[in-house]
Amino acid sequence: MGVHAHAFLDKADPPVGGTIAAPPTAVRLTFTEAIEPAFSGIGLSGADGRAVPAGRAAVDPANPTALVLPLPRLPPGRYKVHWHVVSVDSHRTEGDYSFEIRP
């Protein structure tokens, strides 16, 4: 039997639980293995729980382990990132985290 791996979140920008001074232009999540773009995505919601309209998440052409969500200009506040990915070996993982933009 082979060992089945999953794509776990390795790095996040903005950082998990972080407070940043300038609004980010994108959410960039890097995973421990390559992900399948057709079955992976990132969503963003504000402190009120409402979805923030953003671009479509896509795998970075230069890095098959990175998923990038382009963002509109965000006002200061707290945001929650929700993500789900399917690794190239077809295992699904998901999670969420918050970050804050200082005024």
Side-chain angles (χ1 to χ4, degrees), residues 1-5 91:
M1 291 299 263
V3 174
H4 295 288
H91 288 95

Side-chain angles (χ1 to χ4, degrees), residues 66-90:
L67 191 62
V68 180
L69 175 70
L71 296 175
R73 181 149 177 90
L74 298 174
R78 192 166 228 8
Y79 295 90
K80 189 168 201 175
V81 174
H82 315 267
W83 58 267
H84 65 275
V85 297
V86 172
S87 60
V88 292
D89 67 5
S90 78

Side-chain angles (χ1 to χ4, degrees), residues 4 6 13 16 25 34 39-40 48 50-51 59 78-79 89 95:
H4 295 288
H6 293 73
D13 184 21
V16 173
T25 57
F39 302 106
S40 302
D48 59 3
R50 289 195 175 140
V59 171
R78 192 166 228 8
Y79 295 90
D89 67 5

Side-chain angles (χ1 to χ4, degrees), residues 3-102:
V3 174
H4 295 288
H6 293 73
F8 293 108
L9 184 62
D10 187 38
K11 284 191 278 192
D13 184 21
V16 173
T19 300
I20 55 176
T25 57
V27 171
R28 181 183 180 84
L29 304 179
T30 305
F31 295 88
T32 54
E33 61 183 61
I35 53 177
E36 180 53 63
F39 302 106
S40 302
I42 303 172
L44 185 70
S45 58
D48 59 3
R50 289 195 175 140
V52 173
R56 182 169 163 78
V59 171
D60 181 342
N63 181 353
T65 67
L67 191 62
V68 180
L69 175 70
L71 296 175
R73 181 149 177 90
L74 298 174
R78 192 166 228 8
Y79 295 90
K80 189 168 201 175
V81 174
H82 315 267
W83 58 267
H84 65 275
V85 297
V86 172
S87 60
V88 292
D89 67 5
S90 78
H91 288 95
R92 180 183 167 96
T93 53
E94 60 187 291
D96 58 60
Y97 75 92
S98 296
F99 70 92
E100 186 171 354
I101 302 170
R102 277 197 303 259

